[in-house]
Amino acid sequence: MLNTPQYHHDPVKFKSKYYDAMASSHHSSYNDFYGFSATFSVPSPPPAPVGQPLLDTQEKSEFDSWIDNNFNTTVPSVDPSHLFAPDLQNDSQYWPDMSPSYQAPDLSPHHGYLSNNMDGYLANNSVSSAPSMAPPQIDINPFTGHDLLQRQHEHSPPQLNNNHSLLNFGTDTNFAPTGYHPPPPVVQLDKDIEIRSKIYTAFPKNDSAVTTAVNSPTEIKYERMGEDTEEDDDSTPYYRDDDNTPSPSVMSPGGTMKRRIDGMDDFMSKSRKQQRLRKSDASARAKKKAAGAKRDNLSEAQKRENHIHSEQKRRNLIRQGFEELCSMVPELNSGGYSKSAVLIHAANYLDDLKKGNARLRIYLQQLQQRGY
Amino acid sequence: MASERPRLSEQEKKNNHIASEQKRRMAIREGFDRLTEIVPGLEGQGRSESIVLKKSVDHMRDVLNERQQLIQRIQALGGEIPAELR
């Protein structure tokens, strides 16, 4: 048959296309037979001359017989680029660099050939329209491609199809005649989210991760959370914090974060703790969002309980600190002092201790110097 | 007599209560501030109360230990420890 110009093409993809077409024995649609770009939604080049089929009946039968001869039994051994040959003869309109009598180009660099053709194409048709359209939707699935082609046949004028079938830009399907169009990433994202939400909902509902149990206190006490920092409203001793004053409705979310942090007893820096808290909060929120409404039943009551627990924890730690101070400072051993009194006494005591130590250190130095 | 003194209105009581509560909290805050000045490692921090207390207790222990060591060394050198420093 014809001499075969080398096309830079992905043989695998091509073969699968070919198989597909062969299986359904649609030789009549060979114009779109290798229509990789048949689904490009690009501004169409000028329509082909109407009434002039690409192949006359003789060429068609030639092609068919050639197909039969070469692809009867095994396909893969044949260079698939041969399949391009039949179209070329009468396609001078789309390969303007070539004379109609064009037979066998010597094409050592494939790209050069392609780009030459492209240059001609661009020059001839003056593709100046901006590529404002959406990225081309390319169907690379070999098993659906044929269907798409068929559909396109039905819905669009045939000359458009013929045009597109000739515009193949290497193996990268993102290249259209108007340039490079990155594939839309949105679809992937949606899928991701969908999968993730499925995973989340697949797990049994378990609130324990969010509502971490408080280990120390056993019963829930309500406290006046509306008050800013301290518990008592008079200068009674500090250990009277836990009178039961159930008024949970007064709870204000402002400043609760800071307070909760105060309750933690490890000596990390505060900012790091805040970070950690915020992170965990955020992740919990994200999980809830991903799982949709199912996760939403960490109800207000549960949140309030969590808050109460953490607030209790914090105050227990503070109370422990005060009790320890009381046990260490002689003046406070009797107990029953207000918080401010404990603090001031402790501070005074500590001051005294340090001053005394300083005195003793000097004394010790004097003793040591006298000794030598 | 007490009956001649005009009774405080509810609002006045409330205000008094708020004022005394603020006073109390101020006193506590000052106590914490003093401790943060004394205890090393708490100086510049936005402290939480529990941390200030814990560090204060730890520091107090350290100082007491140091006191004991100083006393022992002084006594080993034949020194006399003043009564108020024992």
Side-chain angles (χ1 to χ4, degrees):
Chain A
M1 188 149 182
L2 295 166
N3 286 333
T4 55
Q6 297 288 310
Y7 279 81
H8 192 62
H9 232 297
D10 184 359
V12 177
K13 208 187 287 179
F14 191 86
K15 264 181 239 162
S16 56
K17 281 274 177 192
Y18 177 68
Y19 278 130
D20 193 25
M22 286 299 281
S24 48
S25 69
H26 264 286
H27 283 193
S28 56
S29 69
Y30 59 84
N31 281 345
D32 279 335
F33 184 70
Y34 2 75
F36 297 96
S37 46
T39 53
F40 278 10
S41 55
V42 298
S44 46
V50 186
Q52 185 201 337
L54 281 175
L55 299 179
D56 55 31
T57 46
Q58 194 229 329
E59 284 169 320
K60 188 172 175 297
S61 64
E62 247 181 33
F63 180 70
D64 283 353
S65 65
W66 177 77
I67 290 273
D68 289 340
N69 290 337
N70 289 288
F71 295 88
N72 251 349
T73 49
T74 55
V75 177
S77 62
V78 183
D79 183 3
S81 58
H82 286 256
L83 288 173
F84 279 89
D87 277 354
L88 283 174
Q89 226 177 16
N90 286 345
D91 278 348
S92 56
Q93 188 194 353
Y94 303 110
W95 309 106
D97 279 352
M98 295 177 267
S99 63
S101 60
Y102 163 80
Q103 282 296 310
D106 185 26
L107 305 158
S108 21
H110 303 169
H111 291 294
Y113 178 60
L114 272 180
S115 60
N116 278 346
N117 283 323
M118 264 325 291
D119 287 343
Y121 171 79
L122 291 174
N124 256 27
N125 298 304
S126 65
V127 184
S128 55
S129 59
S132 59
M133 71 291 180
Q137 298 173 350
I138 297 148
D139 183 40
I140 52 170
N141 186 351
F143 301 101
T144 59
H146 195 66
D147 272 354
L148 278 178
L149 291 181
Q150 290 297 94
R151 244 178 283 135
Q152 186 128 354
H153 257 306
E154 291 166 19
H155 293 304
S156 54
Q159 63 262 32
L160 290 183
N161 281 334
N162 295 345
N163 291 339
H164 292 316
S165 68
L166 291 170
L167 300 172
N168 290 310
F169 294 82
T171 56
D172 195 335
T173 47
N174 289 328
F175 279 101
T178 47
Y180 176 75
H181 302 282
V186 195
V187 186
Q188 183 58 30
L189 257 180
D190 283 349
K191 262 181 197 166
D192 259 356
I193 290 168
E194 196 183 63
I195 289 168
R196 225 174 288 154
S197 70
K198 268 181 192 167
I199 290 171
Y200 280 130
T201 48
F203 284 113
K205 239 186 311 178
N206 183 10
D207 288 334
S208 67
V210 181
T211 65
T212 45
V214 180
N215 34 18
S216 32
T218 47
E219 76 278 347
I220 300 163
K221 296 176 214 151
Y222 288 96
E223 350 184 89
R224 269 162 297 188
M225 232 77 67
E227 286 181 12
D228 170 51
T229 53
E230 305 312 331
E231 298 79 12
D232 314 17
D233 47 7
D234 49 23
S235 57
T236 48
Y238 62 87
Y239 43 77
R240 273 193 50 208
D241 303 354
D242 36 9
D243 336 353
N244 291 349
T245 51
S247 58
S249 58
V250 203
M251 232 172 27
S252 67
T256 56
M257 173 77 85
K258 177 181 170 296
R259 287 297 145 197
R260 211 189 306 167
I261 292 155
D262 286 355
M264 306 170 96
D265 196 29
D266 46 352
F267 286 133
M268 325 166 56
S269 78
K270 194 168 180 180
S271 60
R272 266 177 67 199
K273 270 191 269 171
Q274 260 169 343
Q275 237 180 350
R276 200 174 63 182
L277 265 177
R278 264 192 227 113
K279 230 189 272 171
S280 64
D281 272 10
S283 67
R285 242 178 278 132
K287 271 182 201 167
K288 248 169 34 174
K289 245 184 205 169
K294 293 209 171 181
R295 194 71 176 156
D296 263 349
N297 49 10
L298 180 58
S299 62
E300 288 301 312
Q302 279 169 310
K303 282 185 206 163
R304 195 161 58 210
E305 209 164 291
N306 282 349
H307 178 81
I308 290 168
H309 275 293
S310 53
E311 172 68 12
Q312 239 166 8
K313 219 168 157 184
R314 177 186 80 85
R315 295 200 328 195
N316 278 340
L317 280 169
I318 292 172
R319 194 187 316 157
Q320 272 176 27
F322 274 111
E323 282 168 3
E324 251 178 309
L325 272 187
C326 280
S327 69
M328 292 181 79
V329 180
E331 294 106 311
L332 300 172
N333 277 343
S334 53
Y337 290 89
S338 71
K339 277 184 173 181
S340 56
V342 170
L343 291 170
I344 288 166
H345 276 109
N348 288 339
Y349 179 59
L350 200 50
D351 255 350
D352 287 347
L353 280 178
K354 287 172 120 176
K355 277 177 193 161
N357 277 8
R359 267 177 66 192
L360 287 176
R361 235 175 277 129
I362 292 167
Y363 184 34
L364 180 62
Q365 270 183 358
Q366 288 171 350
L367 282 177
Q368 284 168 337
Q369 281 165 359
R370 209 184 300 162
Y372 290 115
Chain B
M1 281 293 288
S3 58
E4 290 171 17
R5 239 168 63 195
R7 285 275 173 96
L8 290 175
S9 70
E10 286 302 312
Q11 188 57 46
E12 282 170 320
K13 280 187 202 168
K14 205 171 166 186
N15 287 346
N16 283 348
H17 181 80
I18 290 170
S20 59
E21 168 64 17
Q22 276 173 348
K23 203 170 148 193
R24 183 188 76 88
R25 288 208 300 255
M26 273 286 270
I28 293 170
R29 192 130 302 268
E30 278 169 19
F32 275 113
D33 286 345
R34 258 202 79 191
L35 276 180
T36 52
E37 285 165 19
I38 297 170
V39 178
L42 288 175
E43 293 92 356
Q45 296 205 8
R47 10 109 293 175
S48 76
E49 292 184 2
S50 60
I51 286 177
V52 170
L53 289 168
K54 187 152 175 29
K55 287 222 170 190
S56 299
V57 168
D58 290 346
H59 183 56
M60 206 178 277
R61 287 216 180 90
D62 290 344
V63 174
L64 284 169
N65 284 338
E66 192 194 12
R67 166 72 57 97
Q68 291 310 311
Q69 283 176 13
L70 283 169
I71 287 174
Q72 279 176 15
R73 286 168 73 183
I74 287 169
Q75 285 174 338
L77 289 172
E80 280 287 318
I81 304 297
E84 72 269 18
L85 293 182
R86 271 178 200 177

